[in-house]
Amino acid sequence: MDLKEILLDRFGYDNFRPGQEEVIRQVLSGRDTIAILPTGMGKSLCYQLPGSIMEGSVLIVSPLVSLMEDQAMRMRKNGEKRVVALNSFLPYTERQRILGQLHTFKFIFISPEMLSQNSFAYHLNRLSLSLVVVDEAHCISQWGFDFRPDYLRIGDFLKQMNCPPILALTATADDKVLKDIQQYLRMDKPVVFRHSLDRPNISYSILEVNSAFEKTAWIIERVTHTVGPGIIYASSRKRADELAIALQMEGVAVQSYHAGKEQDDRAIIQEQFLNGELDWICATNAFGMGVHKDDIRQVIHEHIPATVAAYVQEVGRAGRDGLPAAATLLYMPADEQTTSFIIQSDTPGEAEIRHYSKLIAEGLPPGEAAELARLTETGKRVIDYYKEHYSLDKIVHHLKGLSYEKQKLLQQMTHLVKGGECIRQTALSYFGEVCRSKPAQCCSNCGLSIEWLTEAPTRKITNEKVSWDERITNLLG
Amino acid sequence: MNLTTILLFIISKLNGERTVNAPLHLLRGKKSGQTLQDVDYFNVKPFFGIFPKLEESTYVKAIDELLDTGLIVQNGKFVYLTELGKQKVKELPAFHFKGWDYRGREMIFFGRIALLVQTLSYMRFGETSFMPIQRDRDIQLFVKRLVEGQPITDPIFAKSIGDELKKALPLSGMSDVQKYIFAYRLTGKNETAKTWDQLAVELKSSTEALRLLFIESLHRLLPVIEKSSHLPYLKKMAIDIKVHSYLTDSAKQTKRLFDEGYSMESIAAIRKLKLSTIEDHFIEMAMSDKSFPLTHFVSQESIDAVLTKSREMGTKRLKLLKNEFEALSYFELRLILTTYKEVDT
């Protein structure tokens, strides 16, 4: 089959991007496939093209409603109208209407929590599915930094289906995560396709400082003397706010972004950043997924991320346009403990699990019980899922193992930070990859210059005040 | 206007008969029997739920400021105005909130406007793809249905919406600052809205004060739109924003059973709820329904006696009245005071 002809004919591209064609061929041959492709490598074509050739519909499980809507919108915009996004936010009648005509859609996006609804399973079972796609598949693994317990339901769901081939897509997965994806999705000897995670245009620097005060001073110096746009990842909401204020005092166009801000303001900040009205964002790890900005020049971490995978994912938001970008991580000796503490509070301990389960047994509503037992939102969801499947002792045992493993992952990250070896090589080695060639600007341990970065940012501050009615004219004519 | 002046006003209304946290519950719009009843007793409906996410620390700071400046004093759990405070209340500008009518739903109205404006701002330049500034699915679907079949790519359509806004804002009587905030919470192509923090820096104010100004401006705007016959599109945006039934959902169910002839005790049994909860529902019903059959519950003589005594003693505090009327239950006293709220003490 001439895939290139189809590519040009239906999608208007002359050539595949690296990796796409191989994945598409595997999918078309009916094999279960796991594809690890860096963000921005055109993951969606890997199911769009096969889907457009194969008989039947493609079901795509996606973790975030906004991500799903965004993806569906892009497909519609490119001329594929047989797309629908189903999630629990749709009003009941709308959902019923869509379910009634499900067979008319070629691409069905769905959020994982919908899979456990019987009405949906009923409609899906009458449908002929050519392919099931699990996007951001690393969310299924508890080792992943984005673990979503709802993803575990995909496996339960697939059990009832008559096994169409599965395509799992993700940007990052080490061996442990890979094993989880394979196991929980009940994949049959999947072909694993791994595109190199290396991003030659990103240079890595790691710097040790002695205090939070020094970090702030360094960041101010850096941001006021080098190019943006950039993201600064902080360990807490409070710290993100603090840094943003310190930078604002220096006249930098910057805002903080975290889950503590109201939804409207978060959307506004994201829009300002995309639009170039802001040069920098000080964020917690809540910022990033679904943000499409190609020209991010710098990512600065002022804390130690919990895993190398999370680090690579966050750093990977820089330089999507292929031009040089710089990743810098600042740390001080106490940071390892700080991160370790955050990890521990996210994983429920034995006392909390038993307390929670006792309160439930006494008839307390789950939300209240979780609060009393001091469980985090994620912690509660994890336990709720396991309670359906396992005994209490097993859950406790399992989560103890999980907590231990998470500490081990943090040790990997600390080793990356303190080891003094080539950062690129070390990071890639955790994903089973060998770094074949190092770029000239590799990392601070191999030696690098950041001259290209040092270019005093020029921002014309427009202090023109526009009156309210002029602004409405600007908006609507 | 800011949080402190609003608090001063509310405390003056509560007349030293409520605890220091009563205004917090009121501003947050707490739907408990006590708060709902206070709203009515003390005539503070306009302030109900105008600050749903008010943090306790922010609240305490504002109260401390009132205490420190000698405008209020605290006696045990209760707070009231000092002479200085009473003087100050008289000098306060008028507030134009309608919290009881809109219950936070004014933000849904604004969300619809924001998304419509953004959509038209892109469409008039022929751009059909953008990140919606409103992530709320209900709002997205509302706007989507509203513009279906409309000439959204026609610049004249966009301009007509702009014209309605330019007409409606001055009509509402909102201040210049409020118009400015309104316009700068709107996003369009190359014209992103400003966050509350950014506005606070620019207008040299606090984010709380600006939010309150914004909510008040929407409460002024909405009635103008609802009444007008010259603002067709804004009128569509305001559909189902004003609260029609003032009862909570749970109270509605209780009312249905009561209308079918069930007694309070049977309703409690059927709904597996405590009798005290059902009593709260009846208080809500008495508040919102002018024809509530009060004499089904208490005799006319008791009503007259309680009202006379309440006036005489100058209080609406249940505990004090209960001492005078041993035979009446708290519930019966509350019903009487709720139904005859206009009795001023």
Side-chain angles (χ1 to χ4, degrees):
Chain A
M1 194 183 308
D2 192 351
L3 291 179
K4 269 199 169 173
E5 205 178 295
I6 299 170
L7 181 70
L8 183 63
D9 193 38
R10 303 206 185 164
F11 299 92
Y13 298 119
D14 286 327
N15 282 301
F16 285 103
R17 293 203 204 167
Q20 282 179 334
E21 189 171 358
E22 292 89 326
V23 175
I24 289 169
R25 287 201 184 277
Q26 294 301 342
V27 171
L28 283 171
S29 74
R31 290 279 300 270
D32 283 351
T33 309
I34 302 177
I36 305 162
L37 296 171
T39 322
M41 293 299 282
K43 278 190 291 176
S44 62
L45 193 81
C46 297
Y47 54 83
Q48 276 192 59
L49 195 149
S52 69
I53 301 173
M54 296 191 285
E55 289 282 323
S57 309
V58 179
L59 182 73
I60 306 132
V61 187
S62 184
L64 290 180
V65 175
S66 58
L67 221 59
M68 172 187 312
E69 296 284 343
D70 191 41
Q71 195 62 254
M73 195 181 73
R74 276 160 204 269
M75 285 174 71
R76 274 190 220 111
K77 203 179 140 198
N78 292 329
E80 177 55 81
K81 306 289 182 197
R82 297 165 299 167
V83 188
V84 70
L86 264 173
N87 53 64
S88 41
F89 290 101
L90 285 176
Y92 180 77
T93 47
E94 179 95 4
R95 219 187 309 165
Q96 289 309 311
R97 191 178 61 78
I98 294 173
L99 283 178
Q101 9 172 291
L102 213 52
H103 59 280
T104 63
F105 296 105
K106 185 86 193 176
F107 296 96
I108 302 163
F109 285 87
I110 186 168
S111 54
E113 79 274 4
M114 288 272 302
L115 289 176
S116 45
Q117 292 177 8
N118 288 332
S119 63
F120 183 69
Y122 167 78
H123 285 285
L124 258 199
N125 259 319
R126 307 192 323 176
L127 210 65
S128 104
L129 284 182
S130 58
L131 179 66
V132 174
V133 181
V134 180
D135 200 5
E136 307 289 346
H138 63 275
C139 294
I140 206 169
S141 171
Q142 310 137 68
W143 318 120
F145 46 94
D146 271 332
F147 176 44
R148 285 162 199 269
D150 274 334
Y151 256 55
L152 291 168
R153 299 184 196 280
I154 303 174
D156 299 343
F157 168 80
L158 287 173
K159 203 162 52 174
Q160 327 158 11
M161 307 290 303
N162 356 331
C163 312
I166 302 167
L167 169 63
L169 293 167
T170 177
T172 44
D174 59 17
D175 285 344
K176 263 190 126 58
V177 174
L178 209 59
K179 229 182 92 199
D180 273 358
I181 293 176
Q182 192 170 335
Q183 186 193 333
Y184 288 114
L185 292 180
R186 297 162 207 272
M187 294 175 103
D188 180 30
K189 299 191 200 73
V191 183
V192 178
F193 184 86
R194 195 193 281 275
H195 188 270
S196 173
L197 288 169
D198 188 25
R199 299 279 306 279
N201 61 324
I202 300 177
S203 67
Y204 299 84
S205 307
I206 288 173
L207 282 171
E208 183 175 351
V209 295
N210 293 312
S211 65
F213 179 76
E214 267 185 48
K215 279 184 186 170
T216 311
W218 190 91
I219 288 170
I220 289 175
E221 172 67 22
R222 174 75 161 214
V223 167
T224 50
H225 289 87
T226 59
V227 293
I231 308 171
I232 299 164
Y233 281 107
S235 58
S236 68
R237 296 173 185 184
K238 197 172 147 241
R239 183 68 180 143
D241 285 338
E242 251 170 48
L243 281 170
I245 290 168
L247 288 169
Q248 279 161 8
M249 308 267 262
E250 302 292 325
V252 179
V254 57
Q255 289 286 306
S256 60
Y257 183 105
H258 50 69
K261 298 219 161 187
E262 71 170 56
Q263 180 67 56
D264 284 0
D265 272 7
R266 269 187 282 165
I268 290 171
I269 294 166
Q270 197 170 315
E271 186 70 18
Q272 289 178 345
F273 189 55
L274 292 182
N275 236 339
E277 294 163 53
L278 291 176
D279 291 327
W280 288 84
I281 296 273
C282 296
T284 60
N285 58 8
F287 184 78
M289 234 203 229
V291 177
H292 301 277
K293 188 172 172 66
D294 290 339
D295 63 345
I296 295 173
R297 298 268 69 85
Q298 297 199 59
V299 170
I300 299 173
H301 281 83
E302 71 100 51
H303 71 120
I304 299 182
T307 64
V308 176
Y311 177 64
V312 167
Q313 176 101 339
E314 283 165 7
V315 162
R317 299 198 169 113
R320 293 213 182 137
D321 54 8
L323 298 172
T328 313
L329 187 147
L330 300 176
Y331 83 100
M332 54 184 189
D335 283 348
E336 192 181 347
Q337 261 189 315
T338 311
T339 306
S340 168
F341 179 77
I342 294 170
I343 293 171
Q344 269 169 19
S345 53
D346 264 353
T347 321
E350 175 163 4
E352 285 104 35
I353 299 168
R354 293 198 186 277
H355 189 194
Y356 174 65
S357 141
K358 192 169 144 257
L359 292 171
I360 295 274
E362 284 167 6
L364 231 65
E368 233 170 275
E371 212 167 289
L372 280 171
R374 295 176 182 282
L375 289 180
T376 59
E377 185 64 31
T378 317
K380 172 183 176 295
R381 273 186 287 157
V382 173
I383 299 176
D384 285 347
Y385 175 79
Y386 284 122
K387 271 170 74 85
E388 290 170 22
H389 293 75
Y390 304 107
S391 72
L392 200 56
D393 285 335
K394 267 210 168 133
I395 300 175
V396 169
H397 179 76
H398 179 81
L399 289 179
K400 263 188 194 157
L402 187 63
S403 170
Y404 172 73
E405 289 294 336
K406 281 189 171 174
Q407 294 298 342
K408 262 178 43 186
L409 286 173
L410 174 60
Q411 278 167 26
Q412 280 189 350
M413 184 64 214
T414 342
H415 177 75
L416 180 81
V417 171
K418 296 184 184 170
E421 295 149 37
C422 171
I423 302 163
R424 184 183 310 273
Q425 225 159 38
T426 314
L428 288 175
S429 74
Y430 289 136
F431 300 99
E433 233 186 273
V434 183
C435 176
R436 289 197 181 79
S437 71
K438 290 186 189 178
Q441 299 295 330
C442 181
C443 71
S444 53
N445 291 333
C446 294
L448 86 167
S449 78
I450 57 151
E451 269 162 38
W452 67 270
L453 272 171
T454 46
E455 181 188 295
T458 49
R459 166 165 292 272
K460 329 173 264 303
I461 294 166
T462 44
N463 248 343
E464 252 178 280
K465 234 186 177 175
V466 176
S467 71
W468 72 272
D469 47 345
E470 280 175 280
R471 181 168 172 88
I472 288 176
T473 308
N474 289 347
L475 288 164
L476 297 171
Chain B
M1 175 175 67
N2 56 37
L3 182 58
T4 340
T5 54
I6 288 174
L7 278 178
L8 186 69
F9 186 78
I10 293 171
I11 291 169
S12 81
K13 284 282 186 185
L14 298 185
N15 202 23
E17 302 204 348
R18 283 295 175 266
T19 64
V20 68
N21 272 335
L24 175 64
H25 299 319
L26 172 70
L27 290 170
R28 280 184 182 169
K30 192 178 173 194
K31 288 191 177 102
S32 74
Q34 181 69 60
T35 303
L36 290 173
Q37 187 183 322
D38 282 358
V39 163
D40 216 37
Y41 268 19
F42 299 106
N43 220 350
V44 285
K45 277 183 177 172
F47 302 95
F48 184 75
I50 61 170
F51 207 150
K53 288 191 180 138
L54 176 56
E55 292 198 19
E56 195 154 352
S57 57
T58 314
Y59 179 76
V60 169
K61 235 173 78 191
I63 288 284
D64 284 349
E65 195 188 320
L66 287 173
L67 288 167
D68 290 346
T69 48
L71 296 174
I72 62 170
V73 281
Q74 191 164 356
N75 186 358
K77 278 172 158 179
F78 299 94
V79 281
Y80 31 96
L81 262 54
T82 59
E83 282 309 316
L84 186 65
K86 283 180 190 159
Q87 197 53 45
K88 186 90 187 190
V89 164
K90 286 185 196 142
E91 296 160 12
L92 287 179
F95 298 111
H96 302 278
F97 289 102
K98 282 182 175 287
W100 191 250
D101 284 341
Y102 295 113
R103 311 253 177 127
R105 298 182 54 80
E106 68 281 340
M107 286 309 293
I108 298 175
F109 165 73
F110 186 77
R112 292 170 180 175
I113 299 227
L115 188 55
L116 179 72
V117 168
Q118 186 195 23
T119 307
L120 297 180
S121 156
Y122 276 84
M123 292 288 178
R124 75 191 183 98
F125 291 108
E127 283 192 34
T128 52
S129 167
F130 56 90
M131 274 298 270
I133 201 75
Q134 272 298 321
R135 305 289 155 85
D136 184 304
R137 285 297 297 158
D138 286 339
I139 292 178
Q140 290 183 358
L141 289 166
F142 180 93
V143 173
K144 200 174 147 194
R145 287 206 192 98
L146 188 88
V147 300
E148 249 161 19
Q150 301 286 348
I152 45 172
T153 49
D154 185 350
I156 295 172
F157 181 64
K159 191 172 176 304
S160 70
I161 304 287
D163 288 343
E164 280 193 30
L165 285 172
K166 286 180 196 166
K167 215 187 299 175
L169 264 58
L171 272 177
S172 71
M174 61 171 92
S175 70
D176 286 345
V177 175
Q178 287 176 314
K179 288 178 207 146
Y180 189 83
I181 298 171
F182 187 99
Y184 277 88
R185 288 295 287 181
L186 293 173
T187 290
K189 191 178 142 57
N190 300 326
E191 299 268 353
T192 312
K194 292 188 179 172
T195 64
W196 290 115
D197 286 336
Q198 289 166 337
L199 285 169
V201 171
E202 189 184 327
L203 299 171
K204 299 188 177 60
S205 179
S206 71
T207 57
E208 290 90 37
L210 293 182
R211 271 169 214 260
L212 287 166
L213 279 169
F214 181 58
I215 298 292
E216 191 198 40
S217 72
L218 296 178
H219 288 182
R220 296 190 85 164
L221 183 61
L222 276 160
V224 169
I225 292 169
E226 285 156 10
K227 270 182 236 131
S228 169
S229 48
H230 305 289
L231 303 165
Y233 284 106
L234 290 183
K235 208 160 193 167
K236 282 186 192 160
M237 305 301 267
I239 285 172
D240 285 338
I241 293 298
K242 190 170 173 178
V243 175
H244 287 298
S245 168
Y246 293 98
L247 294 182
T248 56
D249 288 342
S250 187
K252 263 183 224 163
Q253 291 185 41
T254 295
K255 182 175 179 342
R256 215 189 53 228
L257 290 168
F258 180 62
D259 290 343
E260 284 171 23
Y262 289 97
S263 71
M264 291 178 67
E265 287 75 15
S266 325
I267 296 173
I270 292 167
R271 299 203 54 203
K272 297 193 177 68
L273 291 172
K274 282 193 218 146
L275 189 60
S276 62
T277 308
I278 302 296
E279 287 178 357
D280 282 347
H281 294 164
F282 275 79
I283 298 289
E284 268 190 59
M285 283 152 59
M287 273 167 68
S288 61
D289 182 1
K290 288 197 179 77
S291 59
F292 183 80
L294 181 61
T295 44
H296 284 201
F297 299 88
V298 274
S299 68
Q300 191 60 50
E301 295 85 77
S302 305
I303 298 172
D304 294 340
V306 170
L307 293 178
T308 313
K309 199 75 193 168
S310 167
R311 239 178 259 128
E312 216 176 277
M313 296 170 63
T315 188
K316 288 173 182 171
R317 271 172 69 188
L318 289 172
K319 210 175 223 155
L320 300 179
L321 290 167
K322 175 75 177 152
N323 290 341
E324 301 291 323
F325 298 95
E326 291 283 329
L328 291 177
S329 69
Y330 274 111
F331 172 60
E332 288 162 335
L333 283 169
R334 280 166 68 195
L335 266 188
I336 297 170
L337 292 176
T338 302
T339 315
Y340 290 91
K341 54 165 183 268
E342 68 272 22
V343 179
D344 234 327
T345 49

PDB file of all heavy atoms in Angstrom, chain A residues 208-219:
ATOM      1  N   GLU A 208      24.475  24.323  41.419  1.00  0.00           N
ATOM      2  CA  GLU A 208      24.196  24.218  42.845  1.00  0.00           C
ATOM      3  C   GLU A 208      24.301  25.590  43.486  1.00  0.00           C
ATOM      4  O   GLU A 208      25.222  26.357  43.206  1.00  0.00           O
ATOM      5  CB  GLU A 208      25.187  23.266  43.519  1.00  0.00           C
ATOM      6  CG  GLU A 208      24.836  23.099  44.992  1.00  0.00           C
ATOM      7  CD  GLU A 208      25.702  22.082  45.708  1.00  0.00           C
ATOM      8  OE1 GLU A 208      26.473  21.368  45.061  1.00  0.00           O
ATOM      9  OE2 GLU A 208      25.583  22.003  46.951  1.00  0.00           O
ATOM     10  N   VAL A 209      23.324  25.908  44.341  1.00  0.00           N
ATOM     11  CA  VAL A 209      23.384  27.156  45.098  1.00  0.00           C
ATOM     12  C   VAL A 209      23.201  26.808  46.573  1.00  0.00           C
ATOM     13  O   VAL A 209      22.940  25.652  46.919  1.00  0.00           O
ATOM     14  CB  VAL A 209      22.290  28.156  44.654  1.00  0.00           C
ATOM     15  CG1 VAL A 209      22.513  28.610  43.235  1.00  0.00           C
ATOM     16  CG2 VAL A 209      20.917  27.554  44.819  1.00  0.00           C
ATOM     17  N   ASN A 210      23.311  27.804  47.447  1.00  0.00           N
ATOM     18  CA  ASN A 210      23.258  27.512  48.878  1.00  0.00           C
ATOM     19  C   ASN A 210      21.928  27.808  49.555  1.00  0.00           C
ATOM     20  O   ASN A 210      21.663  27.333  50.648  1.00  0.00           O
ATOM     21  CB  ASN A 210      24.366  28.268  49.603  1.00  0.00           C
ATOM     22  CG  ASN A 210      25.728  27.744  49.204  1.00  0.00           C
ATOM     23  OD1 ASN A 210      25.945  26.528  49.199  1.00  0.00           O
ATOM     24  ND2 ASN A 210      26.619  28.638  48.814  1.00  0.00           N
ATOM     25  N   SER A 211      21.100  28.616  48.913  1.00  0.00           N
ATOM     26  CA  SER A 211      19.857  28.998  49.589  1.00  0.00           C
ATOM     27  C   SER A 211      18.795  29.405  48.580  1.00  0.00           C
ATOM     28  O   SER A 211      19.096  29.652  47.410  1.00  0.00           O
ATOM     29  CB  SER A 211      20.127  30.195  50.516  1.00  0.00           C
ATOM     30  OG  SER A 211      20.492  31.303  49.713  1.00  0.00           O
ATOM     31  N   ALA A 212      17.562  29.478  49.080  1.00  0.00           N
ATOM     32  CA  ALA A 212      16.455  29.924  48.242  1.00  0.00           C
ATOM     33  C   ALA A 212      16.694  31.361  47.790  1.00  0.00           C
ATOM     34  O   ALA A 212      16.333  31.753  46.685  1.00  0.00           O
ATOM     35  CB  ALA A 212      15.143  29.814  49.000  1.00  0.00           C
ATOM     36  N   PHE A 213      17.323  32.129  48.675  1.00  0.00           N
ATOM     37  CA  PHE A 213      17.627  33.516  48.358  1.00  0.00           C
ATOM     38  C   PHE A 213      18.547  33.605  47.129  1.00  0.00           C
ATOM     39  O   PHE A 213      18.344  34.399  46.226  1.00  0.00           O
ATOM     40  CB  PHE A 213      18.291  34.166  49.574  1.00  0.00           C
ATOM     41  CG  PHE A 213      18.679  35.586  49.353  1.00  0.00           C
ATOM     42  CD1 PHE A 213      17.717  36.596  49.353  1.00  0.00           C
ATOM     43  CD2 PHE A 213      20.012  35.929  49.130  1.00  0.00           C
ATOM     44  CE1 PHE A 213      18.074  37.911  49.126  1.00  0.00           C
ATOM     45  CE2 PHE A 213      20.375  37.245  48.901  1.00  0.00           C
ATOM     46  CZ  PHE A 213      19.407  38.238  48.903  1.00  0.00           C
ATOM     47  N   GLU A 214      19.565  32.732  47.108  1.00  0.00           N
ATOM     48  CA  GLU A 214      20.482  32.707  45.961  1.00  0.00           C
ATOM     49  C   GLU A 214      19.764  32.306  44.683  1.00  0.00           C
ATOM     50  O   GLU A 214      20.063  32.806  43.607  1.00  0.00           O
ATOM     51  CB  GLU A 214      21.624  31.712  46.218  1.00  0.00           C
ATOM     52  CG  GLU A 214      22.863  32.351  46.824  1.00  0.00           C
ATOM     53  CD  GLU A 214      23.998  31.338  46.951  1.00  0.00           C
ATOM     54  OE1 GLU A 214      24.295  30.614  45.978  1.00  0.00           O
ATOM     55  OE2 GLU A 214      24.560  31.253  48.058  1.00  0.00           O
ATOM     56  N   LYS A 215      18.818  31.374  44.825  1.00  0.00           N
ATOM     57  CA  LYS A 215      18.043  30.952  43.653  1.00  0.00           C
ATOM     58  C   LYS A 215      17.315  32.149  43.062  1.00  0.00           C
ATOM     59  O   LYS A 215      17.350  32.384  41.861  1.00  0.00           O
ATOM     60  CB  LYS A 215      16.999  29.905  44.056  1.00  0.00           C
ATOM     61  CG  LYS A 215      17.532  28.506  44.185  1.00  0.00           C
ATOM     62  CD  LYS A 215      16.364  27.576  44.482  1.00  0.00           C
ATOM     63  CE  LYS A 215      16.832  26.179  44.774  1.00  0.00           C
ATOM     64  NZ  LYS A 215      15.746  25.340  45.298  1.00  0.00           N
ATOM     65  N   THR A 216      16.619  32.882  43.943  1.00  0.00           N
ATOM     66  CA  THR A 216      15.854  34.034  43.485  1.00  0.00           C
ATOM     67  C   THR A 216      16.769  35.033  42.788  1.00  0.00           C
ATOM     68  O   THR A 216      16.453  35.511  41.692  1.00  0.00           O
ATOM     69  CB  THR A 216      15.157  34.723  44.674  1.00  0.00           C
ATOM     70  OG1 THR A 216      14.482  33.719  45.430  1.00  0.00           O
ATOM     71  CG2 THR A 216      14.158  35.755  44.201  1.00  0.00           C
ATOM     72  N   ALA A 217      17.926  35.309  43.412  1.00  0.00           N
ATOM     73  CA  ALA A 217      18.859  36.271  42.824  1.00  0.00           C
ATOM     74  C   ALA A 217      19.327  35.806  41.452  1.00  0.00           C
ATOM     75  O   ALA A 217      19.392  36.582  40.496  1.00  0.00           O
ATOM     76  CB  ALA A 217      20.048  36.472  43.758  1.00  0.00           C
ATOM     77  N   TRP A 218      19.636  34.504  41.357  1.00  0.00           N
ATOM     78  CA  TRP A 218      20.106  33.957  40.087  1.00  0.00           C
ATOM     79  C   TRP A 218      19.033  34.114  39.010  1.00  0.00           C
ATOM     80  O   TRP A 218      19.296  34.514  37.880  1.00  0.00           O
ATOM     81  CB  TRP A 218      20.479  32.482  40.246  1.00  0.00           C
ATOM     82  CG  TRP A 218      21.182  31.928  39.042  1.00  0.00           C
ATOM     83  CD1 TRP A 218      22.525  31.903  38.830  1.00  0.00           C
ATOM     84  CD2 TRP A 218      20.574  31.346  37.876  1.00  0.00           C
ATOM     85  NE1 TRP A 218      22.802  31.348  37.602  1.00  0.00           N
ATOM     86  CE2 TRP A 218      21.624  31.002  36.995  1.00  0.00           C
ATOM     87  CE3 TRP A 218      19.260  31.103  37.494  1.00  0.00           C
ATOM     88  CZ2 TRP A 218      21.396  30.413  35.747  1.00  0.00           C
ATOM     89  CZ3 TRP A 218      19.022  30.525  36.249  1.00  0.00           C
ATOM     90  CH2 TRP A 218      20.084  30.175  35.389  1.00  0.00           C
ATOM     91  N   ILE A 219      17.803  33.765  39.392  1.00  0.00           N
ATOM     92  CA  ILE A 219      16.701  33.809  38.424  1.00  0.00           C
ATOM     93  C   ILE A 219      16.471  35.245  37.940  1.00  0.00           C
ATOM     94  O   ILE A 219      16.296  35.490  36.747  1.00  0.00           O
ATOM     95  CB  ILE A 219      15.417  33.194  39.036  1.00  0.00           C
ATOM     96  CG1 ILE A 219      15.593  31.674  39.138  1.00  0.00           C
ATOM     97  CG2 ILE A 219      14.190  33.526  38.203  1.00  0.00           C
ATOM     98  CD1 ILE A 219      14.518  30.966  39.921  1.00  0.00           C
TER      99      ILE A 219
END
